Amino acid sequence: MNLSTRVMLNRLTQQCAYKRIVTFSTKTAEHVIENQEEQKKEAPPTTPTPPVNRKPIIPANYRFVYPEFLPDPKVEWRNLVREKLERLDMLDRRKQIDLPEFYVGSVLAVTSSDPHAAGKTSRFVGICINRDRCGLRARFILRNVIDHQGMEVVYELYDPTILKIEVLRLEKRLDDSLFYLRDALPEYSTFDENMEAEPLEEGAPVPVNDIKVVLRPRPWLERWERQNLRGVANIDEYLKDKHRQSSAKVQKPWEKYDMMKDYRSSIPEEEQTEIFAEVHTELHALELQRKRNKRKRTFIKPKQLA
């Protein structure tokens, strides 16, 4: 096909092609615009909806349930890289063993591996009298009176030799530490080795045991009159005037108003939120798994009838 024939065909197609005629307007009519403006004017002004106060994702009791995840407040001991690596190791350890919630005053049973024991394991039942340190060095102390002899065992919470931790009685006490049980009557520290667990309803608040122990006569291991203890009943019975005078000299009532001391001895709330936000997902998954395992243990399969 030569050039002249191509030109002729293009002209014929242009002449034969029909034009599309639009029979309606794509623009908005003026009366429609006016009606819309009138409706806007007649409509009552809409009040802005207040923002919804969402609950924080991180529970507020995390700093009491998991105190070991908070670093040491002393600045000279801080190391951000080490703290982050320790938190990862603690989460890995919690995936291997169930570390339940407990407080000072709770009764625990700890089973640990012991190469010198008959069955290569040992189990100790006692009341938790103290929790201290942080990170992988977190530890707690259990006390029990066995054969009229006070026994105390110090456990590291993330020790790989610990096989099982059972909470036999979950409760709190009036004081943060119960070292004064060493000078109290033995009945306040005596617990049966075969003690069974006392169940607590799911979601119920942790009870606070407001019992006040009775101390033995002096001499004591520490000067308990200087520590403002709320869980001791008879300190004044064994105090003399010289004890009261020496106790009054060392009292510092203004410390409760010292905001800088509180700041130096604690972790700021913003940093606590940041730390627990980092580990909340793993801890929440472990809590759900613990609840599922608890339901499985409470279910008793009926026996088949003969």
Side-chain angles (χ1 to χ4, degrees):
M1 184 181 294
N2 55 13
L3 182 60
S4 59
T5 55
R6 289 182 181 178
V7 174
M8 292 295 294
L9 287 174
N10 291 336
R11 289 180 180 178
L12 289 173
T13 53
Q14 291 177 2
Q15 291 178 1
C16 297
Y18 63 92
K19 295 182 180 181
R20 183 179 180 183
I21 301 174
V22 180
T23 58
F24 58 90
S25 175
T26 58
K27 297 182 180 180
T28 308
E30 295 180 358
H31 66 279
V32 176
I33 298 175
E34 293 177 357
N35 293 337
Q36 292 178 355
E37 292 178 355
E38 291 178 357
Q39 291 177 0
K40 290 180 180 180
K41 292 179 181 179
E42 294 176 357
T46 58
T47 56
T49 57
V52 180
N53 295 329
R54 296 183 178 179
K55 294 182 179 180
I57 299 177
I58 304 171
N61 62 341
Y62 261 29
R63 61 193 183 100
F64 303 109
V65 180
Y66 308 104
E68 68 274 6
F69 281 91
L70 297 178
D72 196 285
K74 292 186 179 181
V75 181
E76 59 270 18
W77 291 357
R78 296 293 304 273
N79 189 320
L80 299 180
V81 177
R82 176 182 57 81
E83 293 168 3
K84 188 175 182 63
L85 293 176
E86 284 188 353
R87 287 195 289 270
L88 295 176
D89 290 342
M90 288 189 287
L91 291 175
D92 291 340
R93 177 58 179 164
R94 284 182 173 270
K95 294 178 182 178
Q96 303 297 328
I97 182 176
D98 181 19
L99 299 179
E101 171 188 2
F102 67 94
Y103 304 90
V104 173
S106 301
V107 182
L108 309 178
V110 179
T111 304
S112 59
S113 60
D114 186 0
H116 305 289
K120 301 300 181 181
T121 59
S122 62
R123 185 175 185 267
F124 185 78
V125 177
I127 182 173
C128 180
I129 63 174
N130 188 46
R131 289 188 68 174
D132 59 353
R133 297 185 180 180
C134 58
L136 292 174
R137 302 175 304 281
R139 66 178 185 178
F140 59 97
I141 304 176
L142 298 185
R143 176 179 175 82
N144 198 354
V145 176
I146 302 174
D147 294 335
H148 307 286
Q149 181 66 36
M151 303 287 294
E152 292 185 3
V153 181
V154 181
Y155 292 101
E156 291 188 358
L157 187 60
Y158 293 93
D159 188 354
T161 60
I162 292 180
L163 303 177
K164 188 178 182 181
I165 298 180
E166 305 172 72
V167 179
L168 305 180
R169 182 187 299 164
L170 181 62
E171 63 181 12
K172 299 179 182 178
R173 290 294 183 95
L174 298 176
D175 300 302
D176 295 334
S177 62
L178 305 180
F179 285 124
Y180 53 78
L181 290 179
R182 297 170 177 174
D183 290 324
L185 297 178
E187 60 190 39
Y188 296 101
S189 302
T190 305
F191 300 93
D192 187 8
E193 296 182 0
N194 299 321
M195 176 181 177
E196 296 183 358
E198 300 178 1
L200 186 66
E201 294 183 2
E202 185 175 344
V206 180
V208 179
N209 191 347
D210 57 353
I211 186 175
K212 294 190 176 182
V213 303
V214 179
L215 298 180
R216 292 174 294 187
R218 299 173 72 98
W220 296 330
L221 295 175
E222 296 185 27
R223 298 178 179 178
W224 305 117
E225 69 274 6
R226 299 186 179 184
Q227 300 185 18
N228 298 323
L229 300 175
R230 297 183 297 168
V232 181
N234 63 334
I235 288 183
D236 294 335
E237 294 181 8
Y238 304 108
L239 296 183
K240 299 180 180 179
D241 292 338
K242 62 177 183 179
H243 297 144
R244 294 186 178 90
Q245 292 175 2
S246 62
S247 176
K249 289 180 181 179
V250 298
Q251 293 296 327
K252 299 178 181 179
W254 59 85
E255 284 189 349
K256 61 181 179 180
Y257 305 108
D258 192 350
M259 299 179 64
M260 287 304 299
K261 181 182 178 181
D262 294 340
Y263 178 78
R264 289 191 295 267
S265 60
S266 60
I267 303 297
E269 186 176 356
E270 297 80 8
E271 189 172 354
Q272 292 185 22
T273 305
E274 183 179 353
I275 291 173
F276 285 122
E278 178 184 343
V279 298
H280 171 259
T281 304
E282 298 289 341
L283 293 178
H284 183 62
L286 293 173
E287 289 176 358
L288 295 178
Q289 183 64 31
R290 185 185 302 117
K291 291 180 181 179
R292 287 193 292 267
N293 295 339
K294 186 177 180 181
R295 295 191 189 99
K296 291 179 181 179
R297 288 194 297 266
T298 55
F299 176 75
I300 301 176
K301 186 177 180 180
K303 298 181 180 180
Q304 294 182 359
L305 298 177

